Amino acid sequence: MATNVAFGLLRMAVLVAAVGQGPIAGYDVAATATYVWLGQGLMAVVVLWGDKQLAERVRSGDVVVDLYRPWHLQLALFAEDVGRAGYAVMVRLAPPVAFGALLFPFRWPSIGTIPVFAVSVALALAVSFGMRFLLNATTFWLLDNRGVQALYTALTWLFCGLAVPLSFFPDWALPIVWSTPFAAMLQAPVDVFLERGSPWPFLAGQACWAVAVLVAGHLVLNRAVRKVVVHGG
């Protein structure tokens, strides 16, 4: 948590220096502070970086035990991720937001936006899990997916809206960055919270990506189980 807050202060210093002379793409100091501290909390809730749990089990062969269990592996891991995210809302999202709201100008949404924001966060989690599941599933073929994971982390950091708000990008790049699933994982819920236009286009885009990546993960898993090799057997 201390590290999270420290990086939040660094991001605040850089971005406020940029918007302090005048709003950029609709971001004034209050909107920027809200974007920073909400992002610092959401990044742990939705998990913007790849995880290695399934990849390690594939590499060691332990995934065979998971496949023998009476469950659907993808749904079981998703349920586990939802539980982790619920805990992260309390210990990783609420404290940075409270810290930022107490010490900096903060832009709170209207009461009616709060449940819409909660739905947006849930969709962001679904998209993130789907992407991480696909990332881990590459281990069935590659055996070591660390290179793919490093590339994924770099793309996520740039295109999800964590480095800078996506609206800071030049006009020609906006359709490109918003057409990726990365924007659905962070920038979309932040924009819903900040009430930057109607929330329904954001939710629709997130829902489409959530369905796409979860269905893709199901299909890849069905194909991947035919590639399982344990100690050469």
Side-chain angles (χ1 to χ4, degrees), residues 17-134:
V19 303
Q21 303 301 317
I24 300 176
Y27 277 85
D28 55 13
V29 174
T32 300
T34 306
Y35 154 80
V36 168
W37 295 110
L38 197 61
Q40 289 299 114
L42 284 176
M43 64 187 297
V45 174
V46 303
V47 184
L48 296 180
W49 51 90
D51 58 67
K52 300 180 180 179
Q53 179 181 359
L54 178 59
E56 292 293 341
R57 294 186 68 79
V58 173
R59 187 176 300 114
S60 66
D62 293 339
V63 71
V64 173
V65 178
D66 298 327
L67 294 173
Y68 269 116
R69 289 173 175 164
W71 62 14
H72 187 280
L73 179 58
Q74 184 187 27
L75 292 179
L77 292 177
F78 187 35
E80 181 180 319
D81 203 48
V82 170
R84 176 208 54 77
Y87 176 75
V89 167
M90 296 183 291
V91 301
R92 297 296 300 273
L93 173 60
V97 170
F99 179 87
L102 287 173
L103 297 183
F104 300 96
F106 205 83
R107 182 169 296 170
W108 293 101
S110 60
I111 296 298
T113 300
I114 299 299
V116 181
F117 170 70
V119 172
S120 182
V121 172
L123 290 172
L125 174 63
V127 176
S128 173
F129 169 80
M131 293 292 288
R132 286 180 281 121
F133 185 84
L134 288 171

Side-chain angles (χ1 to χ4, degrees), residues 6 14 37 39 53 58 106 108 119 152 155 158 162 165 170 173 192 200 219 233:
V14 173
W37 295 110
Q53 179 181 359
V58 173
F106 205 83
W108 293 101
V119 172
Y152 173 83
L155 291 175
L158 181 62
L162 181 63
V192 169
W200 307 118
L219 297 176

Side-chain angles (χ1 to χ4, degrees), residues 115-199:
V116 181
F117 170 70
V119 172
S120 182
V121 172
L123 290 172
L125 174 63
V127 176
S128 173
F129 169 80
M131 293 292 288
R132 286 180 281 121
F133 185 84
L134 288 171
L135 180 67
N136 278 276
T138 62
T139 313
F140 282 102
W141 288 271
L142 301 177
L143 298 183
D144 188 343
N145 73 334
R146 285 177 293 181
V148 178
Q149 185 173 0
L151 178 60
Y152 173 83
T153 301
L155 291 175
T156 304
W157 180 82
L158 181 62
F159 292 126
C160 76
L162 181 63
V164 294
L166 294 185
S167 56
F168 283 19
F169 281 58
D171 292 340
W172 62 266
L174 290 177
I176 299 174
V177 295
W178 275 104
S179 65
T180 71
F182 303 111
M185 294 191 287
L186 184 72
Q187 189 67 64
V190 170
D191 281 356
V192 169
F193 189 92
L194 288 173
E195 298 177 329
R196 291 176 59 85
S198 172

